[in-house]
């Protein structure tokens, strides 16, 4: 797997209390498995062991979260395992939870549709992240709405590099 954590809302209450997301990976397996989670940009690695028909939750450093800039940058997270696993990514704080199922590299296709909805947050919008699974990857992104810093072709240099734009409104 190659994956990334798109940015989630950080907010400060009127009393000055700041709420930041908590990032985690939930990895499950039918058969016993061992594996590794590696975040190259942080030089952070952790190993995991899963018993048959079980799972494990792995806390991920908050610094792995992306900030949508519309540029190609490092920031992908690599997950490897000794047998087939399922990976769910979770980013949550007291008022907002984002989660998604990660696809293994061998299950990826060539065309995707990003569905979105308008954000209720001030300065919000919608965002998505693309992570290269191999070196010298080029991705063509066709948007139905304007986005800052998007040119159409997104050339990735190395596996694990990523692209995350933010749109001022929903994509659809």
């Amino acid at each position: 797997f190659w994956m990334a954590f798109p940015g989630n809302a950080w907010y400060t209450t009127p009393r000055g209390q700041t709420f930041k997301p908590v990032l985690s990976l939930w990895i499950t397996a039918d058969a016993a498995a061992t594996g590794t989670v590696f975040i190259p940009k942080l030089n952070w690695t952790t190993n995991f062991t899963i018993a048959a028909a079980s799972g494990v939750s792995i806390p991920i450093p908050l610094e792995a979260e992306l900030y949508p800039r519309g540029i190609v940058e490092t920031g992908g997270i690599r997950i490897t395992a000794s047998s087939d696993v399922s990976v769910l990514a979770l980013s949550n704080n007291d008022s907002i939870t984002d989660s998604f199922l990660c696809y293994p590299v061998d299950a990826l296709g060539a065309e995707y549709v990003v569905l979105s909805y308008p954000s209720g947050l001030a300065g919000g919008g919608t965002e998505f992240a693309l992570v290269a699974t191999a070196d010298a990857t080029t991705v063509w992104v066709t948007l139905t709405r304007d986005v800052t810093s998007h040119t159409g072709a997104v050339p990735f240099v190395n596996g694990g590099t990523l692209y995350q734009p933010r749109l001022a409104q929903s994509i659809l």
Side-chain angles (χ1 to χ4, degrees):
F1 298 81
W2 273 107
M3 58 81 61
F5 279 98
N8 196 345
W10 294 38
Y11 66 94
T12 302
T13 67
R15 293 183 179 176
Q17 187 177 11
T18 300
F19 290 91
K20 300 174 184 175
V22 175
L23 310 179
S24 60
L25 293 174
W26 294 76
I27 304 176
T28 62
D30 289 335
T34 59
T36 301
V37 178
F38 175 52
I39 307 173
K41 84 172 184 178
L42 302 179
N43 196 27
W44 183 91
T45 302
T46 191
N47 297 314
F48 60 88
T49 301
I50 304 172
S54 187
V56 63
S57 173
I58 300 173
I60 301 296
L62 183 57
E63 296 79 17
E65 184 184 51
L66 304 178
Y67 181 79
R69 292 185 270 237
I71 61 172
V72 174
E73 59 184 305
T74 61
I77 298 173
R78 180 77 169 141
I79 305 160
T80 56
S82 62
S83 62
D84 289 343
V85 297
S86 295
V87 179
L88 177 78
L90 180 68
S91 171
N92 69 308
N93 62 32
D94 283 359
S95 65
I96 298 172
T97 299
D98 293 340
S99 66
F100 56 91
L101 181 66
C102 302
Y103 290 112
V105 171
D106 62 357
L108 297 176
E111 293 186 25
Y112 291 89
V113 174
V114 176
L115 303 175
S116 67
Y117 57 92
S119 172
L121 299 173
T126 191
E127 59 195 19
F128 61 93
L130 303 171
V131 182
T133 61
D135 294 351
T137 299
T138 299
V139 175
W140 285 93
V141 179
T142 304
L143 300 173
T144 59
R145 306 275 188 195
D146 291 336
V147 62
T148 306
S149 305
H150 176 70
T151 59
V154 182
F156 294 92
V157 177
N158 298 309
T161 56
L162 56 91
Y163 172 72
Q164 183 190 13
R166 174 174 281 164
L167 289 73
Q169 54 187 303
S170 66
I171 297 172
L172 299 177

